[in-house]
Amino acid sequence: MPQTPPFTEQLGPSGYQNSYQTTEDSRAGLCYQDNNLVSGSLEALIQHLVPTVEYFPDRTYIFTFLLSSRLFIHPYELMSRVCYLCMEQQRLSDAHTDETQVRNLAPRMVQLLTEWTETFPYDFKDERMMCSLKQLTQRLANGDQVYRKAVVQMSQGLLRRLTVLSQYEEALSKINATAAEQLTAVKVKPQVTIHKDLLSICSDPFTVAQQLTHIELERLGYIGPEEFVQAFVQMDPLDNDTVTFRTNTLEAYVEWFNRLSYLVATEICMSVKKKQRVRVIEFFIDVARECFNIGNFNSLMAIISGMNMSPVSRLKKTWSKVKMAKYDILEHQMDPSNNFYNYRTALKGATQRSITANSNREKIVIPFFSLLIKDIYFLNQGCVNRLQNGHVNFKKFWELAKQVSEFMTWKKVECPFEKDRRILQYVLTAPVFTEDDLYLASYDSEGPENNMEKDRWRTLRFDVGHILIPTCMLLNK
């Protein structure tokens, strides 16, 4: 049977839209072009996933199918189907099964399950997944002692990964709770709150950029590849299985981007004196430049987004004193025109550097995450999941897997920089104000310039001004 090729070889220069001579394996219900799998019935693709004594699927096929199959079938249903096919094909459910068959199949099934549990561990948060996994592994473990040991190692590895994920989610909850408490303390009792700023903790842009990179790589590391697909799965709101498709770690990462943007805006707007605001803006420009040099494009864009927020951008007197040369270069690099051409060029360069790098420092590639999600979204929306003959459009999913696989490589890089707990604690928990709070602080720093701004200023002063104004004054004590 034709094999599935590596990601780097399975697509032509024009991507998955190329047209080749098509051949079909009618027995398996799979369709190939130039020996590459391009479509098939869902049942045939599931069959192609299940090992036999003579056959084991290519790793690229395993990853691609496990990634994309959730658009058609729940992971727990797929696991149940895989278990059934394994038992059916090898007649493992028969009490008179030759144990030699079990021993021959066991290493291949363990290898498949290991691939699944290591790459998509979040699937196994579902009790039904764990139930099917235990049933099959118990059957496999009845064979040779070597396979029994492999099954135990696989199960223990899965439990460790799920435990680490649970601990990470608990840590996120504590961090968010601390941030909320600090914000409440600043707003409720501003007269007794001493509110620091980032510059008072660290004035070295490179060190701050390193700490932002720590946060980025840690949070990227917990994003499972399946979350890119599950984010687009539209489940029936009445379906109780919707909980299976939650994407907590992906959402937490997007929230981190928003927090960093608002933190930058808060640090700028809460500085009452113009000279201090200029200093803060220039500091964040330097931090953003260091992020660019490191390959941390997500923090770079978050910082630029914070400086481009309306409460900050309207501070014309402040910006007139800022040295703009470095900022203009950064804005040019992240210019959204031509589908972010400049950024994509820089990302490509960072990716090439990463491939040939000898150190973790040079391997760092942290993409502008919102754009990555958008690219994957449009790929998903731009091509049909099923062809007219009912086959799954596997061409599309090769390309989807190619993009997600590249992300998987980036997120595995271990951060080489030493942690600074004070900076990390501040960046993750310092009070971050709402847009209304920022506007009020901005108007207090540089008065409203037209009637619309004056009306908004009066409204804001009535609603939140009595809380925020004392807080603003504390920033410069």
Side-chain angles (χ1 to χ4, degrees), residues 14-117:
S14 299
Y16 57 84
Q17 295 180 349
N18 286 345
S19 177
Y20 300 116
Q21 182 64 37
T22 301
T23 59
E24 184 172 353
D25 186 335
S26 58
R27 295 172 302 148
L30 301 176
C31 186
Y32 293 84
Q33 292 177 340
D34 281 5
N35 210 37
N36 296 337
L37 176 62
V38 294
S39 71
S41 66
L42 180 60
E43 183 60 32
L45 292 170
I46 296 174
Q47 181 82 47
H48 196 51
L49 178 71
V50 179
T52 67
V53 175
E54 299 82 16
Y55 163 77
F56 188 79
D58 190 272
R59 289 189 69 193
T60 56
Y61 176 76
I62 295 174
F63 178 79
T64 302
F65 184 70
L66 291 180
L67 176 70
S68 58
S69 61
R70 61 201 71 237
L71 289 169
F72 308 96
I73 184 173
H74 286 278
Y76 78 87
E77 292 175 321
L78 176 60
M79 172 61 80
S80 178
R81 187 63 184 154
V82 167
C83 292
Y84 171 78
L85 288 174
C86 176
M87 304 287 280
E88 180 73 13
Q89 288 179 8
Q90 300 302 323
R91 294 179 300 151
L92 296 182
S93 58
D94 189 337
H96 303 289
T97 298
D98 183 356
E99 289 299 324
T100 302
Q101 286 185 316
V102 178
R103 289 196 297 271
N104 289 338
L105 177 66
R108 294 178 179 272
M109 280 305 303
V110 171
Q111 184 178 352
L112 173 64
L113 295 175
T114 300
E115 293 273 353
W116 197 336
T117 56

Side-chain angles (χ1 to χ4, degrees), residues 63 67 70-71 120 220 222-233 246-247 249-250 253 367 369-377 380 400 403-408 410-411:
F63 178 79
L67 176 70
R70 61 201 71 237
L71 289 169
F120 300 91
L220 281 178
Y222 286 97
I223 297 175
E226 69 277 10
E227 294 192 78
F228 290 97
V229 175
Q230 288 178 185
F232 308 136
V233 174
R246 294 173 62 189
T247 56
T249 55
L250 190 150
Y253 190 61
F369 197 69
S370 294
L371 186 59
L372 175 63
I373 291 291
K374 187 179 293 184
D375 287 344
I376 294 175
Y377 173 80
N380 183 60
L400 175 64
Q403 291 195 23
V404 176
S405 178
E406 189 171 44
F407 164 80
M408 294 287 287
W410 293 335
K411 79 167 193 166

